[in-house]
Amino acid sequence: MTDQPRTPPATPRACPICGKPVEQAFRPFCSPRCRDVDLNRWLTGRYVVPGREDDEEDPE
């Protein structure tokens, strides 16, 4: 019998919007509402991925 290291059980994830447990169908969120809240934050510019200063939006 070999002693293999045990991996700890996966910790339940929390919804990044409200903190409730994640539902597999809406992963990584808990519901369609939280998924839509996150999408709205991206679409309204609340979340921004920074770019480099030399990036141009419309190079000509």
Side-chain angles (χ1 to χ4, degrees), residues 37-38 40-49:
V37 167
D38 184 73
N40 183 54
R41 289 177 181 176
W42 280 105
L43 294 175
T44 59
R46 186 165 172 194
Y47 295 151
V48 178
V49 177

Side-chain angles (χ1 to χ4, degrees), residues 2-17:
T2 41
D3 290 326
Q4 293 190 4
R6 289 184 163 202
T7 56
T11 56
R13 302 276 179 181
C15 175
I17 303 300

Side-chain angles (χ1 to χ4, degrees), residues 24-46:
Q24 188 66 26
F26 310 110
R27 209 174 106 207
F29 306 104
C30 69
S31 67
R33 178 196 170 275
C34 285
R35 180 185 59 203
D36 291 344
V37 167
D38 184 73
L39 177 61
N40 183 54
R41 289 177 181 176
W42 280 105
L43 294 175
T44 59
R46 186 165 172 194

